[in-house]
Amino acid sequence: MQKIWSIQYLRAAAALMVVLFHAQGMASEYFGARAPSFGAAGVDIFFVISGFIMWTTTASGSITPLSFIQHRILRIVPLYWTITLLLYFGWFIFRDRAALPPVADLIQSLLFIPYFSTRSGEIQPLLIAGWTLNFEMFFYLVFAGGLLQSRLRRLLFVGAVLCGLVSLRLWVPPATAMALTYTSPLMIEFAIGCLIGIAYENRALPRSAIIVCAAVLLIAAGLGTLFATMSLSAADISAYRFVCWGLPAALIVIGGICLEPQLRHWRLPALLGDASYSIYLTHSVALAALKNVVVFAGGALGLTATILFLIAGCLLSTATGVAVYYLVEKPLGGFFKAMVVQPGQKRAMVERSAV
């Protein structure tokens, strides 16, 4: 499938929003530097994009649920497991072993099982950024079930399952980490992404040059709402977040796709879109390293120093993510695809040639 540049650039923007949010949080927590917190809603943009991509990349109808899940695992698991295991064993070697998270936390993190962290009491895996992957992997399972249906029934199936789970909150208040995650209104953001994918496939989204202004207004409205509600907690996974961040995220994605005919291949944002997963998973490590340097240098941050910290943190996180993309994510992905996918393809080629 040909790349959709608007989606590629939105992935880059969403990743950088999350980086900025955590850089601001770190400046506030460790240096007492007050900075408006913005960017956590990058996650909501990712969720809408994920629904869009899953819908549009399965348009051919030839993919099976098993091959779909296999492809998603090959895309998500290698890098996530690598960073999680390095984090855990780094903690084991270099930090106080008495504070080492239980092995059960490690196993649940690796298996994308939501649980309440023994460190924070919140629903967080060992690699905190991985909490979104718990949502993603569950959506993939639901979507894989939909692949057994026709396109129309697939939409109805995915929408019914996700909306049905969310509606359970009205009857049975969730208490466990799994129930809180799988009934979160944030799940509807994936379904909205699927709907946007349908509109895109059927050319129902405006594409003429006259619509550029309307697209820009949609993006501006989405960003304006995010700015107006940036005091919302990033840990909130309630209906309030869906309204304040999920719906504006959908407006931003729709606006970006409406601009697609006007967009061209811009090398840097396209690269950042490719590396967005690596940037997302590694930025906390890069920011922590920079924070330690500042702490070692002994400084409380003033306004100018805070701004410099935010800029340096975003640049370092981006550079780290791009390096990990080239040096780890791509080689790992290629290695496992060669092990799992290629042999089957070769056998199929041999069988066809023998007939």
Side-chain angles (χ1 to χ4, degrees), residues 64-76 340-341:
T64 66
L66 181 60
S67 61
F68 173 80
I69 290 296
Q70 182 187 72
H71 184 271
R72 290 291 89 201
I73 288 175
L74 290 174
R75 175 73 179 87
I76 298 297
V340 177
V341 178

Side-chain angles (χ1 to χ4, degrees), residues 4-351:
I4 303 171
W5 296 121
S6 54
I7 293 296
Q8 192 76 347
Y9 302 154
L10 284 170
R11 289 172 62 195
L16 294 179
M17 285 173 64
V18 175
V19 172
L20 177 60
F21 168 74
H22 286 130
Q24 290 169 325
M26 195 166 287
S28 176
E29 180 180 358
Y30 290 96
F31 310 114
R34 292 291 179 181
S37 181
F38 174 76
V43 167
D44 302 80
I45 295 176
F46 272 130
F47 284 176
V48 176
I49 288 174
S50 183
F52 175 89
I53 291 176
M54 293 309 104
W55 187 268
T56 54
T57 55
T58 56
S60 66
S62 60
I63 187 169
T64 66
L66 181 60
S67 61
F68 173 80
I69 290 296
Q70 182 187 72
H71 184 271
R72 290 291 89 201
I73 288 175
L74 290 174
R75 175 73 179 87
I76 298 297
V77 167
L79 182 63
Y80 177 65
W81 279 20
T82 298
I83 297 176
T84 297
L85 290 171
L86 288 174
L87 182 68
Y88 187 82
F89 289 111
W91 194 312
F92 180 81
I93 295 171
F94 298 108
R95 300 182 68 174
D96 181 8
R97 296 185 185 181
L100 186 71
V103 174
D105 286 9
L106 173 63
I107 294 173
Q108 290 179 99
S109 295
L110 295 176
L111 296 180
F112 305 99
I113 299 173
Y115 67 95
F116 290 109
S117 170
T118 54
R119 292 177 295 157
S120 67
E122 297 181 356
I123 304 175
Q124 291 176 342
L126 295 184
L127 180 61
I128 295 176
W131 72 269
T132 62
L133 299 182
N134 295 338
F135 282 81
E136 292 274 1
M137 295 302 282
F138 182 74
F139 167 63
Y140 297 154
L141 286 175
V142 174
F143 195 87
L147 291 173
L148 296 170
Q149 319 290 327
S150 65
R151 294 284 278 175
L152 175 58
R153 291 181 178 178
R154 182 181 310 166
L155 175 64
L156 295 176
F157 174 83
V158 172
V161 171
L162 296 182
C163 293
L165 286 171
V166 171
S167 68
L168 284 178
R169 283 187 169 224
L170 300 175
W171 309 100
V172 183
T176 67
M178 292 180 66
L180 284 164
T181 299
Y182 300 151
T183 65
S184 168
L186 271 62
M187 286 292 178
I188 300 178
E189 295 174 4
F190 296 106
I192 291 176
C194 291
L195 288 173
I196 297 173
I198 293 173
Y200 175 80
E201 282 182 346
N202 292 280
R203 298 183 176 273
L205 295 178
R207 297 184 177 214
S208 65
I210 303 176
I211 303 302
V212 170
C213 289
V216 171
L217 287 175
L218 283 174
I219 295 173
L223 288 174
T225 305
L226 297 184
F227 271 111
T229 58
M230 60 187 177
S231 61
L232 179 65
S233 170
D236 191 335
I237 56 174
S238 69
Y240 186 63
R241 173 172 177 154
F242 170 73
V243 172
C244 293
W245 289 357
L247 295 180
L251 292 180
I252 291 169
V253 173
I254 292 172
I257 294 174
C258 288
L259 291 174
E260 182 67 24
Q262 317 301 323
L263 299 179
R264 298 294 180 268
H265 178 202
W266 297 323
R267 194 169 182 178
L268 179 59
L271 170 61
L272 297 184
D274 285 334
S276 58
Y277 183 52
S278 289
I279 293 172
Y280 179 74
L281 289 187
T282 62
H283 74 276
S284 58
V285 178
L287 289 174
L290 179 62
K291 177 262 299 181
N292 289 336
V293 171
V294 175
V295 169
F296 182 78
L301 299 183
L303 177 61
T304 301
T306 298
I307 294 173
L308 291 176
F309 175 81
L310 296 179
I311 294 173
C314 290
L315 290 175
L316 178 62
S317 297
T318 301
T320 301
V322 170
V324 169
Y325 170 68
Y326 278 116
L327 299 177
V328 182
E329 182 183 349
K330 286 188 71 174
L332 269 181
F335 173 75
F336 285 107
K337 284 179 181 178
M339 286 181 61
V340 177
V341 178
Q342 295 297 329
Q345 291 179 344
K346 290 179 180 178
R347 284 195 299 271
M349 292 175 63
V350 170
E351 290 170 0

